[in-house]
Amino acid sequence: QWIKAQEGDVDYVFKSDFWNAKFKHEVKSDSDGFMKINSSVLFGLAAMKLGAGRETKEDDIDFEAGIQIAKKSGDAVSKGDVLFTLYSSKEIKAEVIDSLVDAYEITNKKENFKVLLGEIN
């Protein structure tokens, strides 16, 4: 919706070659249950560490870096499902992956979550 509102090419971001990052790491569920995202801030900090943002104004941005979230809060997940994928042009360090341990959890019951952002008109 944001891309369309800015008259961008929405179809472009859905092409299979949209991201061509050299490195990727899939985080998979280790159990059945329901996805619960605890901290979008931790995801944002991890994306910055991957290169998608800057810690200082002198830092370069890696336009291939980012996190693609496959399951949102409340979604049912099965053991082995991909929850999210990290992308970067540089090797993805274990410390970045580990920094997301508290960012999400798999719960045994579905919870109703409030929508914090509404639709863009």
Side-chain angles (χ1 to χ4, degrees), residues 38-97:
N38 295 323
S39 175
S40 57
V41 171
L42 291 177
F43 276 100
L45 290 171
M48 180 197 63
K49 291 175 186 175
L50 290 169
R54 300 177 195 197
E55 190 168 4
T56 68
K57 67 180 182 176
E58 293 80 22
D59 291 344
D60 291 329
I61 292 179
D62 176 356
F63 294 104
E64 298 296 331
I67 302 173
Q68 183 177 30
I69 297 176
K71 300 288 184 180
K72 64 181 188 253
S73 286
D75 284 352
V77 299
S78 297
K79 183 177 181 174
D81 283 355
V82 174
L83 303 175
F84 51 91
T85 306
L86 296 93
Y87 295 92
S88 183
S89 294
K90 300 176 285 186
E91 188 172 346
I92 299 170
K93 297 179 181 179
E95 64 194 42
V96 176
I97 300 164

Side-chain angles (χ1 to χ4, degrees), residues 1-68:
Q1 290 174 328
W2 286 345
I3 295 167
K4 185 177 180 180
Q6 297 177 48
E7 299 179 5
D9 183 0
V10 176
D11 294 331
Y12 179 75
V13 297
F14 292 104
K15 292 182 181 179
S16 61
D17 63 346
F18 177 66
W19 264 334
N20 290 311
K22 184 174 180 182
F23 297 95
K24 81 174 189 175
H25 177 83
E26 293 179 333
V27 174
K28 298 180 180 181
S29 178
D30 57 3
S31 63
D32 296 340
F34 298 91
M35 178 71 158
K36 180 181 178 189
I37 294 178
N38 295 323
S39 175
S40 57
V41 171
L42 291 177
F43 276 100
L45 290 171
M48 180 197 63
K49 291 175 186 175
L50 290 169
R54 300 177 195 197
E55 190 168 4
T56 68
K57 67 180 182 176
E58 293 80 22
D59 291 344
D60 291 329
I61 292 179
D62 176 356
F63 294 104
E64 298 296 331
I67 302 173
Q68 183 177 30

